Amino acid sequence: MSVLTARIEALERSVCSSDADIHTANLAEQVALIERQLSKTLADHTSLARALEKYEALKDIIESDGDMELARRALGITAKAELILLNDDALKILSDLHTIRDLQPRISQPEYATAADLLPQVGELEKQHAQQASAFRQIVADISSVVDKYHADTEAMSEMFIRWDQTLTAIERKVTELEAKSHSQA
């Protein structure tokens, strides 16, 4: 009997022990420990708890050994929908599908059906746009050149006016001095 007991204990350790830290005396304690861990996990993850509840209700159909096609047909639409909705991402996917369905009339506009026929015209418009853009850049360069020349000429004329003003001021000062001398000598 000791050989049988040793084999059972070895089997329990290899099959049931998922963590090296778990030390239990027998299989019943191991099962109780696993059940406690499962309860804690289900309490932490409500989506898993909901999935387990749904699974338990449909367990016979899902795990049947019979014809899978028959089992799939036996699941009602509501049950299939509940299985799909267990996945939290399913709600986001359904929302995206609803958005896509709302956009479908805009995507199926008659203008889009004729778009392929308009491709040659688009090519011509692209060529015209490139030519117009090039002409625009040339005009901007020409205007910039004219504005730069205007500023240079204006600056040169300002400098000439300043020199003339200085020259006229010097002449007026000299004339004033000469007049003052001639009045003082007279």
Side-chain angles (χ1 to χ4, degrees), residues 58-184:
L58 301 169
K59 183 177 180 179
D60 295 336
I61 296 172
I62 294 172
E63 293 183 355
S64 68
D65 291 334
D67 184 17
M68 282 306 290
E69 184 62 30
L70 177 64
R72 270 191 237 119
R73 279 186 280 169
L75 279 176
I77 300 244
T78 307
K80 289 177 184 176
E82 286 179 357
L83 285 173
I84 290 170
L85 291 176
L86 287 175
N87 184 351
D88 291 334
D89 294 334
L91 295 175
K92 183 182 179 306
I93 292 168
L94 288 175
S95 171
D96 291 346
L97 287 176
H98 183 68
T99 303
I100 290 170
R101 195 174 309 124
D102 290 343
L103 293 175
Q104 190 65 35
R106 289 179 181 80
I107 294 171
S108 301
Q109 295 289 326
E111 292 83 12
Y112 295 135
T114 61
D117 299 336
L118 299 174
L119 280 177
Q121 292 176 0
V122 170
E124 286 298 318
L125 289 173
E126 286 176 341
K127 288 178 189 174
Q128 288 177 2
H129 175 70
Q131 291 169 351
Q132 290 172 351
S134 175
F136 176 75
R137 284 190 295 275
Q138 183 59 44
I139 289 170
V140 168
D142 292 346
I143 290 173
S144 294
S145 172
V146 168
V147 168
D148 289 344
K149 181 154 177 43
Y150 169 79
H151 286 304
D153 290 347
T154 303
E155 186 177 337
M157 290 174 69
S158 293
E159 288 176 10
M160 284 183 352
F161 286 136
I162 290 171
R163 277 191 229 125
W164 288 351
D165 184 53
Q166 289 172 349
T167 304
L168 288 174
T169 304
I171 291 172
E172 286 177 355
R173 217 178 297 133
K174 193 69 165 171
V175 167
T176 305
E177 285 176 16
L178 290 174
E179 283 178 352
K181 260 188 194 181
S182 73
H183 282 292
S184 63

